[in-house]
């Protein structure tokens, strides 16, 4: 199954609009193309621009057409399109396999394809067909996906304020009034959980995708906790930014999945989650064992585990793991172990979370 496109980069002249701005002066945006832009945005697919044009002139035309708000990180200038596309992917922190590019000129598509072979390229005459393609049809549609562009745009404003903020970085993070909520997943939230396991690659501990049917079975299993993590600050909601899948055993909590959005790495969300879980496990008197499977992109997650104090069971064996299925049955899977102690969960954000010793519906949050 083709990887879903996370960002479509548009050329402008004879692609988004009809005509060449610098030659014709007047250009036309067809209603059918406008509908494609709006439809892709509603599916949570970000859109940007890589165009050879005068930036001020072209952006003014996009504003006049009423579509400028749909395009993030526009690259409008005179450099190579491949470099523009690369900068967009880097700023979004997306793999190039998640980027698509559409242009009317074969030479421009060839230049991008030569330098960035993982980027999918489409001719302008295919624009109206894009919403029908599998790679532009995400498997799930959630509240967060429908407002993904707005959340990214808020993120860029945060970044700009952060760059301008004087003093230590921790002071700026405190000024954001960050609030993390960790909650047991409901049936309505499962699509957000599934989407996170699909879209998150850099901060996904195993790379495993849990489909909706499996998740629905797990939230009704008293041995399992399916936890959804959301984050807000004074700029607004970040949406669902993490998911934890925990299985209880006597004396042991098995962390089968931890995935967090790469958008919140800079705010210490992953470390906060691991500190909260370690603190909760310490209060419950249990060990933690976390599954980890190395991929090409999740090195940051392994670093987060190691920084939190987890060690490989092959490095420091513990009899607590005897209740788990042998890793030999799953090639590539590693088990990381922690004997937890009390933790300071975070110094920069408040955390509202359930007491894992209290059954769902019972009293108690931490």
């Amino acid at each position: 199954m083709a990887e879903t496109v996370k960002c479509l980069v548009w050329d402008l002249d004879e692609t988004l609009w009809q005509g060449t701005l610098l030659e014709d002066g007047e250009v036309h945006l067809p209603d059918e193309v406008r509908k494609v832009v709006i439809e892709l945005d509603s599916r949570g697919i970000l859109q940007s621009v890589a165009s050879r044009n005068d930036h001020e002139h072209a952006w003014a035309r996009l504003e006049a057409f009423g579509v400028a708000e749909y395009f993030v990180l526009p690259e409008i200038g005179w450099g190579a399109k491949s470099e523009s596309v690369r900068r967009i992917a880097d700023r979004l922190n997306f793999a190039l396999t998640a980027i698509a590019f559409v242009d009317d000129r074969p030479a421009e598509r060839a230049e991008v394809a030569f330098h960035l072979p993982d980027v999918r390229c489409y001719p302008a005459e295919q624009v109206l067909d894009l919403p029908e393609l599998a790679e532009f049809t995400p498997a799930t549609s959630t509240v967060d996906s429908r407002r993904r562009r707005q959340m990214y745009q808020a993120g860029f404003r945060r970044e700009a304020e952060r760059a301008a903020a004087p003093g230590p970085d921790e002071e700026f993070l405190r000024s954001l009034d960050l609030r993390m909520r960790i909650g047991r997943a409901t049936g309505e939230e499962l699509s957000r959980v599934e989407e996170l396991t699909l879209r998150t690659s850099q901060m996904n501990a195993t790379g495993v995708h849990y489909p909706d049917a499996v998740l629905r079975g797990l939230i009704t299993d008293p041995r399992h906790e399916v936890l959804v993590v959301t984050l807000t600050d004074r700029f607004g909601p970040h949406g669902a930014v993490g998911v934890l899948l925990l299985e209880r055993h006597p004396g042991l909590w098995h962390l089968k999945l931890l995935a967090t959005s790469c958008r919140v790495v800079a705010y210490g969300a992953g470390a906060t989650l691991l500190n909260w879980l370690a603190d909760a496990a310490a209060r419950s008197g249990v060990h933690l064992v976390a599954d980890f499977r190395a991929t090409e992109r999740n090195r940051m997650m392994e670093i987060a585990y190691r920084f939190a104090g987890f060690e490989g069971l092959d490095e420091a064996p513990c009899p607590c793991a005897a209740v788990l299925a042998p890793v030999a049955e799953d090639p590539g899977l590693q088990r990381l172990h922690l004997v937890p102690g009390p933790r300071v969960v975070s110094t920069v954000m408040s955390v509202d979370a359930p007491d894992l010793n209290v059954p769902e519906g019972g009293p108690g949050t931490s």
Side-chain angles (χ1 to χ4, degrees):
M1 185 175 180
E3 180 179 352
T4 302
V5 169
K6 292 184 179 181
C7 179
L8 173 63
V9 181
W10 292 78
D11 172 47
L12 295 178
D13 293 331
E14 301 293 359
T15 302
L16 181 75
W17 57 49
Q18 294 178 349
T20 302
L21 187 60
L22 292 180
E23 295 178 2
D24 303 328
E26 289 299 322
V27 292
H28 171 65
L29 176 64
D31 287 340
E32 295 82 359
V33 176
R34 182 192 302 271
K35 290 177 181 177
V36 169
V37 171
I38 295 172
E39 175 60 26
L40 295 180
D41 182 75
S42 74
R43 298 180 184 186
I45 297 173
L46 300 181
Q47 295 169 89
S48 189
V49 171
S51 172
R52 295 183 189 278
N53 261 301
D54 174 75
H55 186 281
E56 185 176 349
H57 194 187
W59 191 250
R61 183 60 56 190
L62 289 169
E63 291 180 322
F65 286 140
V67 294
E69 64 181 299
Y70 291 99
F71 299 101
V72 302
L73 304 175
E75 289 276 342
I76 304 174
W78 305 106
K81 296 280 183 77
S82 61
E83 287 305 309
S84 295
V85 172
R86 188 191 301 275
R87 281 192 294 269
I88 292 166
D90 288 345
R91 282 288 310 278
L92 291 172
N93 206 16
F94 286 176
L96 291 171
T97 54
I99 305 294
F101 173 66
V102 59
D103 196 298
D104 66 302
R105 298 183 61 188
E108 297 285 17
R109 299 196 301 274
E111 191 269 337
V112 170
F114 178 80
H115 292 285
L116 307 174
D118 288 334
V119 172
R120 283 164 279 187
C121 298
Y122 301 84
E125 53 266 31
Q126 202 173 353
V127 161
L128 300 186
D129 298 326
L130 295 182
E132 307 304 319
L133 300 180
E135 59 265 37
F136 290 92
T137 309
T140 59
S141 176
T142 68
V143 172
D144 285 352
S145 67
R146 290 190 289 274
R147 62 183 180 186
R148 180 164 289 116
R149 169 182 44 93
Q150 292 94 326
M151 291 194 294
Y152 269 86
Q153 289 168 330
F156 301 143
R157 293 193 294 272
R158 288 185 195 99
E159 288 178 12
E161 187 164 324
R162 185 177 195 168
D169 198 50
E170 189 167 331
E171 290 183 9
F172 171 73
L173 293 179
R174 286 199 189 96
S175 77
L176 288 177
D177 190 23
L178 288 158
R179 299 173 182 267
M180 176 180 284
R181 179 185 177 274
I182 304 169
R184 291 181 167 107
T186 64
E188 293 179 354
E189 290 178 309
L190 287 183
S191 60
R192 301 163 82 184
V193 174
E194 183 180 12
E195 184 186 36
L196 271 169
T197 67
L198 277 169
R199 296 179 66 92
T200 303
S201 58
Q202 285 188 316
M203 295 298 289
N204 187 320
T206 63
V208 174
H209 165 229
Y210 285 86
D212 183 86
V214 172
L215 291 169
R216 288 188 184 278
L218 292 176
I219 64 172
T220 61
D221 181 352
R223 295 181 305 126
H224 282 87
E225 295 278 6
V226 182
L227 303 169
V228 180
V229 184
T230 58
L231 190 67
T232 62
D233 64 22
R234 60 185 170 86
F235 286 94
H238 294 256
V241 299
V243 56
L244 296 89
L245 176 57
L246 200 66
E247 184 176 13
R248 302 172 186 272
H249 296 275
L252 172 70
W253 288 354
H254 180 197
L255 183 57
K256 300 167 77 172
L257 173 68
L258 172 62
T260 63
S261 170
C262 58
R263 292 181 289 111
V264 294
V265 169
Y267 307 113
T272 297
L273 282 171
L274 287 172
N275 284 335
W276 166 77
L277 185 60
D279 187 67
R283 286 185 282 107
S284 298
V286 298
H287 290 196
L288 284 172
V289 169
D291 286 353
F292 179 77
R293 181 182 291 101
T295 70
E296 293 180 356
R297 289 180 55 79
N298 71 352
R299 174 65 175 161
M300 291 173 63
M301 180 61 81
E302 182 177 14
I303 292 171
Y305 273 127
R306 298 290 186 172
F307 191 76
F310 283 82
E311 296 181 296
L313 277 170
D314 55 343
E315 304 165 21
C318 180
C320 73
V323 297
L324 303 179
V327 294
E329 298 178 7
D330 189 348
L333 183 68
Q334 303 175 48
R335 292 253 164 81
L336 306 178
H337 176 256
L338 177 69
V339 180
R343 298 279 180 103
V344 174
V345 174
S346 177
T347 61
V348 298
M349 70 178 71
S350 63
V351 178
D352 177 23
D355 184 342
L356 296 183
N357 288 307
V358 178
E360 186 173 3
T365 58
S366 58

